[in-house]
């Protein structure tokens, strides 16, 4: 059970929800992490909380042995283990800095090494088929075609936040605000500029925009991550 902010209350084992909330808020305010990233960290803390509840042990009762048990507990559930361990180490270190814990029992735990794999990329034929997939006779298809041509290596979170003011089609560049509110300028190729100009002038007004976003859903609001998917 969570409150309206997505924060679970203190549990019988004594997991301090106030500390979890302050740490998560700090990730947004101090490190500029996105809310999607912070939501993932919240899941990591929820896993720790569930483990402590099963053990009926408060956070202050965590020791080397319990940390080892926690990692074994995680392995059975097959989560993103490397991130969970990294989150645990960071959260406990933060608690130590603020005098909430005497020591960090996870400080010496090694993060599992992730295999180095070459990226699996599309072939030229697959790219052409992908770009030709949208229905160019409908406003949704024209939107999707512009989105596919235009994407410019953007993250989905960057794509959905894009505003018309961020586009400079005269110069053929787009201003993107990425992780940590870092700004970068990305050039657009000629085909993308042409499709975006057509989309903004002719197609986008058909969605009756409500939000000041480039890519809209049927209701005129900005597309969500799920909508892009």
């Amino acid at each position: 059970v969570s409150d309206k902010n997505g924060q679970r209350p203190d549990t019988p084992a004594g997991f301090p929800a106030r500390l979890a909330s302050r740490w998560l808020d700090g990730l947004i305010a101090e490190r500029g992490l996105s809310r999607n990233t912070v939501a993932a960290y919240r899941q990591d803390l929820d896993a720790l909380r569930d483990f402590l509840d099963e053990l009926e042990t408060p956070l202050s009762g965590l020791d080397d042995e319990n940390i080892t048990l926690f990692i074994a507990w995680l392995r059975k559930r097959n989560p993103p283990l490397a991130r969970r361990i990294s989150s645990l180490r960071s959260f406990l270190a933060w608690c130590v800095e603020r005098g909430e814990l005497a020591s960090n029992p996870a400080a010496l735990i090694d993060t599992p090494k992730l295999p180095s794999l070459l990226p699996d990329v599309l072939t030229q034929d697959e790219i052409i088929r992908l770009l030709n997939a949208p229905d160019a006779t409908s406003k949704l298809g024209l939107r999707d075609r512009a989105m596919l041509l235009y994407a410019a290596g953007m993250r989905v979170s960057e794509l959905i936040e894009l505003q018309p003011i961020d586009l400079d089609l005269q110069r053929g560049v787009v201003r993107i605000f990425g992780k940590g509110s870092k700004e970068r300028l990305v050039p657009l190729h000629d085909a993308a500029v042409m499709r975006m100009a057509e989309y903004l002038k002719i197609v986008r007004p058909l969605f009756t925009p409500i939000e000041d976003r480039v890519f809209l859903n049927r209701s005129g609001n900005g597309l969500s991550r799920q909508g892009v998917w």
Side-chain angles (χ1 to χ4, degrees):
V1 178
S2 303
D3 64 17
K4 62 182 180 180
N5 296 317
Q7 180 65 48
R8 291 167 57 180
D10 288 336
T11 64
F15 186 94
R18 60 181 177 81
L19 292 181
S21 181
R22 284 171 54 197
W23 182 65
L24 293 169
D25 288 344
L27 294 179
I28 297 175
E30 298 170 17
R31 294 173 54 185
L33 298 184
S34 70
R35 295 193 177 275
N36 290 323
T37 301
V38 172
Y41 287 155
R42 177 174 287 112
Q43 293 176 357
D44 299 338
L45 292 188
D46 285 346
L48 175 62
R49 167 185 304 230
D50 291 339
F51 170 75
L52 292 175
D53 283 352
E54 288 187 18
L55 231 60
E56 297 184 352
T57 299
L59 183 66
S60 59
L62 268 181
D63 54 24
D64 295 347
E65 182 179 352
N66 286 341
I67 291 293
T68 302
L69 289 175
F70 178 53
I71 294 174
W73 184 87
L74 287 174
R75 288 186 188 277
K76 292 181 180 179
R77 288 154 179 79
N78 197 32
L81 189 60
R83 194 199 70 210
R84 293 255 158 116
I85 293 175
S86 177
S87 298
L88 172 68
R89 188 189 299 117
S90 298
F91 173 64
L92 295 181
W94 180 87
C95 289
V96 171
E97 290 175 0
R98 281 150 184 78
E100 300 288 347
L101 291 178
S103 63
N104 181 356
L108 300 180
I109 298 294
D110 289 331
T111 302
K113 296 296 186 292
L114 299 177
S116 298
L117 301 176
L118 292 174
D120 186 15
V121 298
L122 298 177
T123 66
Q124 183 175 347
D125 180 62
E126 288 171 332
I127 293 173
I128 293 173
R129 286 164 51 199
L130 176 64
L131 295 179
N132 290 334
D135 177 9
T137 65
S138 70
K139 67 177 185 180
L140 293 176
L142 290 170
R143 177 204 64 189
D144 294 346
R145 185 175 65 174
M147 190 160 54
L148 285 171
L149 276 170
Y150 162 74
M154 299 174 66
R155 301 179 180 89
V156 174
S157 58
E158 296 169 347
L159 185 72
I160 61 178
E161 293 295 329
L162 194 72
Q163 298 183 13
I165 197 174
D166 298 324
L167 291 166
D168 185 347
L169 299 183
Q170 292 276 349
R171 297 169 54 200
V173 296
V174 57
R175 182 177 59 174
I176 300 171
F177 294 94
K179 287 187 174 181
S181 298
K182 293 181 179 178
E183 179 181 339
R184 67 185 191 275
L185 292 177
V186 177
L188 299 176
H189 57 80
D190 292 342
V193 170
M194 180 181 68
R195 295 300 183 195
M196 280 302 302
E198 175 189 46
Y199 168 75
L200 290 174
K201 182 178 180 179
I202 301 173
V203 182
R204 186 175 178 273
L206 299 177
F207 287 85
T208 313
I210 295 175
E211 289 190 281
D212 194 23
R213 296 286 186 269
V214 171
F215 296 109
L216 307 170
N217 60 22
R218 296 174 186 271
S219 303
N221 293 304
L223 274 175
S224 64
R225 291 172 62 91
Q226 293 79 7
V228 174
W229 179 252

